[in-house]
């Protein structure tokens, strides 16, 4: 019996799915891939061409918190995919609640009161970088978040587990740093804490030292002295008098991270504090899988020749967040019948801390319908967590997946990377990785799962956000 080559098998299977031809025009609307490509490797891998980002000015190596490349190691059992999605939905819920509360307070300040402890966003904490703090410097692995403003790390003294949670790196000891200095209660920076954290400032009367409080919706918290010290992002990127929270009392679901870098738009964020050096420009590329170490976080301008920019908007109710003008969605080269006003109110934010992109329900239903129609040749699998459109590819070798494109203002089209289209539980349960909002008044959120492998550039000086393809390589 004659045997068929893999190429012939591919051509035959393609013809069965597209009996009228699969020319260059139609091919640009689909991903054609092996199912094994969807399954991340268990070992740390380096994508070809990714190392050119390392050891450069303003560039930090970025890793997935729970992946095999993570500097946090593997202590204990990592959360399941279901638990990660549950935490992600908690973050989304807290973001929506905070936005609505602030909106109503601005709408009628005489009759509406902001809750006393609305709380900072629940952090999904997906991606980590390593920084240096103090003189001599201590290396600390922290998460970064565009939805947060305050920078903080755990600090000594920690009398016991009730005051500090276990972390991978040695806990920062300010007494061993010659450049550490507490911020006084009378400092202007102390007065900025309320807008950065959403909580009232406290003064330690015995030392006249400003005290910060960052309380999260899941009851996690970090509290301590507001201080200054020397921050080293790289050996050549050193900042004196960097303001941060030095937490003597910390508790919650933070894992083994040392703290947090806030990349929001508030005056206390890392972006604002390093504005003279970097011009309020930063970018990142999130690696394609949790097993890849090809990601980076970069501060300052760089090569943006292949980047297309969309206007960055500001919402007066939530001035720290990054708002974009989302206009529509295309599937398989066809723009869906979605009224652009669907995304206009209350708006769309891009957020590094939210995993799954959240859409207005009418937009999600249109996306789901078009995607299911294009995938009608494949066997559907049971729903999983947030997802109601899942497929069983366990009997497939090659699959053909329709491309999904998000349309933004400024004529910017973002082709969602293939691994951002699916959330993979296994070969027998690959789910469309989008979710619909439960309320018509909810924000649309462009999550990090759909940003993977993109070069995402935030240019606050020019009020724009850009997207480029193959950012990690």
């Amino acid at each position: 019996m004659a045997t068929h080559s893999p190429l012939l098998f591919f051509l035959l299977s393609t013809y069965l799915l597209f009996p009228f031809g699969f020319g260059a025009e139609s091919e640009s609307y689909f991903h054609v891939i092996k199912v094994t490509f969807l399954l991340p490797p268990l070992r740390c891998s380096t994508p070809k061409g990714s190392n050119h980002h390392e050891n450069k000015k303003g560039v930090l190596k970025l890793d997935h918190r729970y992946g095999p490349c993570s500097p946090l190691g593997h202590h204990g059992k990592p959360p399941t995919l279901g638990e990660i999605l549950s935490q992600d939905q908690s973050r989304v819920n807290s973001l929506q609640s905070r936005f609505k509360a602030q909106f109503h307070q601005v709408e009628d300040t005489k009759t509406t009161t902001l809750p006393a402890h609305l709380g900072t966003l629940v952090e999904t904490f997906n991606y980590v970088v390593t920084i240096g703090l103090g003189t001599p410097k201590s290396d600390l692995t922290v998460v970064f978040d565009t939805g947060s403003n305050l920078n903080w790390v755990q600090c000594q003294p920690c009398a016991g587990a009730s005051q500090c949670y276990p972390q991978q790196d040695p806990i920062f000891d300010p007494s061993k740093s010659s450049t550490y200095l507490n911020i006084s209660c009378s400092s202007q920076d102390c007065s900025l804490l309320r807008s950065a954290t959403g909580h009232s400032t406290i003064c330690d009367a015995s030392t006249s030292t400003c005290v910060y409080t960052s309380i999260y919706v899941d009851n996690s918290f970090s509290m301590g002295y507001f201080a200054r010290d020397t921050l080293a992002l790289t050996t050549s990127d050193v900042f004196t008098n960097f303001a941060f929270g030095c937490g003597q009392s910390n508790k919650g679901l933070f894992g083994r991270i040392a703290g947090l870098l806030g990349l929001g738009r508030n005056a206390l964020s890392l972006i604002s504090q390093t504005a003279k050096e970097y011009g309020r420009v930063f970018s990142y590329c999130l690696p394609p899988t949790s097993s890849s170490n090809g990601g980076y976080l970069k501060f300052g301008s760089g090569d943006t020749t292949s980047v297309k920019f969309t206007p960055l908007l500001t919402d007066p109710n939530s001035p720290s967040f990054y708002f974009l003008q989302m206009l529509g969605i295309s599937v398989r080269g066809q723009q869906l019948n979605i009224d652009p006003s669907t995304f206009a109110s209350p708006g769309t934010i891009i957020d590094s801390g939210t995993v799954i992109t959240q859409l207005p329900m009418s937009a999600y239903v249109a996306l789901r319908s078009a995607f299911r129609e294009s995938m009608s040749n494949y066997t559907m699998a049971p729903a999983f967590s947030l997802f109601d459109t899942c497929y069983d590819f366990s009997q497939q070798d090659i699959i053909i997946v329709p491309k999904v494109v998000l349309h933004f203002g400024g004529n910017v089209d973002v082709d969602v990377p293939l691994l951002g289209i699916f959330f993979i539980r296994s070969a027998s349960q690959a789910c469309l990785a989008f979710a619909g909002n439960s309320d018509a008044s909810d924000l649309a959120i462009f999550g990090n799962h759909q940003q993977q492998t993109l070069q995402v550039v935030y240019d606050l000086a020019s009020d724009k956000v850009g997207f480029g393809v193959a950012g990690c390589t």
Side-chain angles (χ1 to χ4, degrees):
M1 178 181 289
T3 58
H4 297 299
S5 69
L7 175 62
L8 179 59
F9 173 78
F10 166 72
L11 293 174
L12 287 171
S13 61
T14 300
Y15 178 78
L16 291 174
L17 286 172
F18 299 95
F20 301 106
F22 191 67
E25 181 180 1
S26 60
E27 185 176 2
S28 65
Y29 300 142
F30 294 88
H31 298 282
V32 182
I33 50 108
K34 282 183 168 290
V35 171
T36 53
F37 177 77
L38 297 174
L39 306 175
L42 299 178
R43 295 182 179 181
C44 181
S45 62
T46 302
K48 185 178 180 180
S50 64
N51 286 333
H52 73 282
H53 297 297
E54 295 184 14
N55 302 317
K56 285 195 172 184
K57 181 176 174 58
V59 181
L60 301 181
K61 182 176 175 291
L62 177 156
D63 292 300
H64 195 283
R65 176 188 180 189
Y66 297 115
C69 303
S70 174
L72 295 176
H74 305 283
H75 299 270
K77 186 178 180 181
T80 65
L81 294 181
E83 289 169 340
I84 289 175
L85 291 173
S86 178
Q87 293 170 10
D88 187 48
Q89 190 58 48
S90 294
R91 178 185 172 93
V92 169
N93 293 342
S94 67
L95 192 157
Q96 305 287 12
S97 297
R98 190 168 77 173
F99 179 85
K100 290 175 184 177
Q102 291 171 333
F103 175 80
H104 290 305
Q105 185 189 43
V106 172
E107 194 176 54
D108 188 353
T109 56
K110 293 182 179 180
T111 60
T112 307
T113 303
L114 196 66
H117 288 285
L118 193 60
T120 307
L121 297 179
V122 174
E123 307 301 343
T124 309
F125 288 159
N126 273 2
Y127 299 98
V128 296
V129 295
T130 299
I131 60 167
L133 188 65
T135 306
K137 76 179 179 71
S138 298
D139 289 330
L140 302 169
T141 299
V142 296
V143 294
F144 74 92
D145 181 24
T146 59
S148 298
N149 295 301
L150 182 68
N151 310 280
W152 63 265
V153 299
Q154 290 200 110
C155 286
Q156 296 284 10
C158 282
S162 62
Q163 292 186 316
C164 280
Y165 58 85
Q167 68 177 51
Q168 176 71 13
D169 305 306
I171 294 175
F172 181 68
D173 188 346
S175 69
K176 294 181 179 179
S177 174
S178 62
T179 47
Y180 177 87
L181 182 67
N182 284 331
I183 293 176
S184 69
C185 301
S186 59
S187 168
Q188 182 182 2
D189 286 336
C190 189
S191 65
L192 291 173
L193 267 177
R194 180 169 186 172
S195 61
T197 64
H199 297 281
S200 301
T201 56
I202 303 172
C203 183
D204 184 340
S206 63
T207 60
S208 296
T209 299
C210 188
V211 176
Y212 81 94
T213 304
S214 192
I215 303 175
Y216 298 84
V217 177
D218 64 352
N219 292 321
S220 300
F221 63 83
S222 177
M223 303 178 187
Y225 293 121
F226 197 37
R228 290 186 181 278
D229 209 332
T230 298
L231 171 71
L233 295 178
T234 70
T235 55
S236 59
D237 297 87
V238 180
F239 300 89
T240 58
N241 296 316
F242 180 74
F244 70 104
C246 193
Q248 271 85 28
S249 182
N250 317 275
K251 189 175 182 180
L253 304 176
F254 297 117
R256 302 187 65 83
I257 62 169
L260 179 145
L261 286 184
L263 303 186
R265 301 167 78 176
N266 182 275
L268 292 180
S269 75
L270 176 62
I271 305 308
S272 296
Q273 292 195 58
T274 59
K276 288 184 179 180
E277 175 70 17
Y278 301 132
R280 301 176 71 219
V281 177
F282 72 97
S283 59
Y284 55 71
C285 182
L286 307 179
T289 71
S290 61
S291 303
S292 171
N293 67 358
Y296 66 87
L297 173 63
K298 173 180 172 57
F299 299 96
S301 58
D303 183 8
T304 58
T305 53
S306 63
V307 176
K308 295 182 178 179
F309 286 92
T310 184
L312 174 61
L313 308 178
T314 301
D315 189 288
N317 306 322
S318 299
S320 292
F321 290 114
Y322 297 96
F323 278 82
L324 306 179
Q325 182 187 23
M326 190 170 180
L327 299 176
I329 304 172
S330 290
V331 175
R332 201 177 57 184
Q334 298 294 317
Q335 186 156 349
L336 305 180
N337 185 22
I338 304 172
D339 190 326
S341 64
T342 302
F343 301 102
S345 180
T348 301
I349 68 168
I350 179 171
D351 182 34
S352 70
T354 298
V355 179
I356 300 302
T357 293
Q358 305 273 333
L359 299 170
M361 185 55 74
S362 59
Y364 172 70
V365 170
L367 168 62
R368 178 181 64 188
S369 297
F371 192 82
R372 285 182 176 181
E373 181 181 357
S374 295
M375 298 289 289
S376 59
N377 289 302
Y378 299 102
T379 302
M380 294 197 71
F384 172 60
S385 186
L386 307 176
F387 309 124
D388 59 10
T389 301
C390 303
Y391 295 90
D392 182 353
F393 296 137
S394 60
Q395 303 303 311
Q396 306 292 326
D397 180 26
I398 295 173
I399 59 173
I400 300 175
V401 180
K403 289 187 176 181
V404 177
V405 178
L406 307 181
H407 304 292
F408 294 94
N411 239 0
V412 173
D413 298 331
V414 178
D415 194 336
V416 177
L418 173 63
L419 292 175
I421 294 177
F422 287 113
F423 193 90
I424 310 296
R425 194 181 188 191
S426 66
S428 59
Q429 198 170 31
C431 304
L432 177 63
F434 292 80
N437 287 331
S438 58
D439 192 295
S441 62
D442 285 346
L443 292 160
I445 306 172
F446 186 12
N448 64 45
H449 189 70
Q450 283 69 38
Q451 298 175 45
Q452 291 175 139
T453 74
L454 296 174
Q455 179 185 3
V456 185
V457 182
Y458 295 71
D459 187 340
L460 279 65
S462 302
D463 290 326
K464 59 185 181 181
V465 173
F467 301 96
V469 297
C472 294
T473 57

